[in-house]
Amino acid sequence: GIVAFLIRLYYFQWDLPITYDAISYFMYAGDIVTLGHLPDWELANSGWPVFLSLIFSLVDSNNPFYYMQIQKLTTVFLSTVTIIPLYFIAKRFFEPRFCIIAVSLFAFQPRLIENSLLGGTDHLYILLGVIAICLFLHQNKKIMYSSFAVLSLMTMVRGEGFLLFIALSAIYFIRYRKVHFFIPKYIPALLIFILILFPVMDQRIEVGGTDHIFVRASDIVSYHSKPPEDTGSQSGLPFIINGMKNFPIYLGWSLVPILICLVPIGFILMVRNLDYKKLTIIFPLILLSLPAFYMFANNYQDIRYVFILFPFFSLVSIYFIKKIDNKINKKNIFVLIFITGILVTSFVFL
């Protein structure tokens, strides 16, 4: 964790302001601090600036540039601490030495390092998703239920978080299908998710006329269900074919240089002898890939839409690494060499 944080600080650009979408989040957070309440202008993913406003409220400065650096440092910190819940997830599957490799694959991932310097929504979104899965895998049901509260916060940050809610709900029914009254016992989880999310949806509808979650998803499905000739080939079969062509290309490019060889073979090895724990990786992988598929089908080339998949890729890779490890006698040396290799590869790529 210390090494990962120092690497990010090494590449941190102290003399540059934030850019692109991060500016909107900066302005929204600033308005919250100034007004003392949510501003009356529309922002789709308001969860991140609301969190950011809590950080800004602790700082006393009249220099906007100073706050911009705080915003970027916050994403650097969030990107680094994600390895903590990710380690506890890995412990559900692997021995501790493999857990160290898994978090190293995430912490030293060059694309995540680069993205963490921008001050955007991605790293709070990823952190909340990893925490939700970590809590969901806990044997204590009360702690498991708390994962649905985190899923609400994740969905506030990015509407696509609702897909992880669907994935974990499906796994809940698989996991507890043999327990008496397992369907009524799901109701508290559903209520927790809805009751936390509802006030935010209500505020968004009041300000902009849409909740940017369910209404947006409905509009997308409705639009892309139209005949291709009505949308300029942006719907129907041509749209799906374009997504199937672009998705593997951009996904493969995002896995370069470290994960490109580990993930495909690791996934094949993982799907053997499936249980609910492995499904906790597979279901989110599939559902959280849908937004990336949608964007790539629309010819957007920004690979940050697949970054939410990187914690899962780190876990999937371990199945291939274990296969290699079984053929090596000096286990600890192998772990040290492998992590060093990840670190060096990341530096070279950056």
Side-chain angles (χ1 to χ4, degrees):
I2 293 171
V3 173
F5 187 73
L6 292 176
I7 290 173
R8 285 158 172 77
L9 288 184
Y10 175 78
Y11 289 104
F12 196 92
Q13 296 171 314
W14 298 94
D15 56 338
L16 292 182
I18 54 176
T19 56
Y20 303 114
D21 293 347
I23 294 175
S24 298
Y25 302 128
F26 172 78
M27 293 172 63
Y28 199 90
D31 278 1
I32 293 174
V33 174
T34 304
L35 299 172
H37 58 77
L38 295 180
D40 294 329
W41 57 277
E42 186 179 6
L43 186 67
N45 300 315
S46 57
W48 164 234
V50 169
F51 174 81
L52 198 59
S53 68
L54 301 176
I55 308 297
F56 285 177
S57 64
L58 301 175
V59 179
D60 184 17
S61 175
N62 294 320
N63 185 353
F65 186 79
Y66 185 66
Y67 285 95
M68 290 183 180
Q69 304 313 305
I70 291 175
Q71 180 171 340
K72 293 195 293 181
L73 282 172
T74 302
T75 55
V76 165
F77 176 76
L78 294 174
S79 174
T80 305
V81 299
T82 303
I83 68 172
I84 298 172
L86 182 59
Y87 178 84
F88 285 106
I89 294 175
K91 280 187 69 176
R92 298 282 178 181
F93 298 88
F94 312 110
E95 300 171 32
R97 57 198 179 91
F98 291 119
C99 299
I100 295 295
I101 295 178
V103 298
S104 298
L105 285 168
F106 180 86
F108 304 140
Q109 186 59 231
R111 299 191 185 281
L112 292 179
I113 292 173
E114 187 178 39
N115 184 263
S116 70
L117 309 177
L118 302 179
T121 63
D122 299 294
H123 295 279
L124 179 59
Y125 178 62
I126 294 170
L127 174 60
L128 291 173
V130 174
I131 291 174
I133 292 173
C134 181
L135 296 173
F136 182 81
L137 287 170
H138 204 281
Q139 297 301 317
N140 187 313
K141 279 194 175 181
K142 292 181 180 178
I143 295 177
M144 185 275 292
Y145 281 136
S146 68
S147 68
F148 288 87
V150 179
L151 286 172
S152 290
L153 301 178
M154 182 187 181
T155 307
M156 293 178 198
V157 175
R158 293 259 288 271
E160 302 94 303
F162 177 67
L163 295 170
L164 185 57
F165 167 76
I166 295 175
L168 295 189
S169 295
I171 297 165
Y172 171 89
F173 289 114
I174 294 172
R175 180 179 178 182
Y176 294 107
R177 66 188 184 280
K178 296 181 181 179
V179 177
H180 290 298
F181 304 108
F182 72 96
I183 294 179
K185 290 178 180 178
Y186 171 74
I187 294 176
L190 181 62
L191 287 175
I192 289 169
F193 180 79
I194 292 174
L195 290 175
I196 294 176
L197 193 59
F198 181 79
V200 175
M201 293 169 54
D202 184 57
Q203 188 269 343
R204 291 178 182 177
I205 292 171
E206 185 179 339
V207 172
T210 176
D211 60 9
H212 291 288
I213 303 171
F214 304 106
V215 174
R216 179 186 175 192
S218 176
D219 291 343
I220 289 173
V221 172
S222 176
Y223 178 80
H224 292 287
S225 299
K226 294 179 180 179
E229 53 270 18
D230 294 345
T231 61
S233 297
Q234 288 298 304
S235 61
L237 188 59
F239 178 77
I240 295 173
I241 291 174
N242 195 47
M244 292 175 67
K245 179 184 71 175
N246 288 338
F247 183 76
I249 295 172
Y250 295 122
L251 178 63
W253 173 237
S254 73
L255 297 178
V256 174
I258 298 173
L259 297 173
I260 188 65
C261 296
L262 300 174
V263 171
I265 300 174
F267 188 81
I268 294 171
L269 295 172
M270 184 185 70
V271 295
R272 301 173 181 176
N273 303 317
L274 288 177
D275 55 26
Y276 86 86
K277 289 183 181 179
K278 290 182 179 180
L279 291 175
T280 310
I281 299 176
I282 295 173
F283 278 19
L285 257 179
I286 295 172
L287 289 180
L288 290 174
S289 295
L290 295 179
F293 183 93
Y294 170 78
M295 299 305 293
F296 298 148
N298 278 308
N299 295 315
Y300 288 97
Q301 300 178 0
D302 192 345
I303 62 171
R304 69 187 180 91
Y305 295 103
V306 304
F307 288 166
I308 183 61
L309 305 179
F310 276 42
F312 306 103
F313 288 152
S314 300
L315 297 172
V316 169
S317 299
I318 300 301
Y319 286 94
F320 181 37
I321 294 170
K322 280 184 68 177
K323 194 79 171 179
I324 300 172
D325 180 78
N326 290 335
K327 300 179 180 180
I328 296 174
N329 294 324
K330 297 182 178 180
K331 308 293 187 181
N332 291 332
I333 293 178
F334 168 73
V335 172
L336 182 61
I337 292 174
F338 199 90
I339 294 176
T340 304
I342 295 170
L343 192 55
V344 171
T345 303
S346 180
F347 261 116
V348 171
F349 187 84
L350 286 167

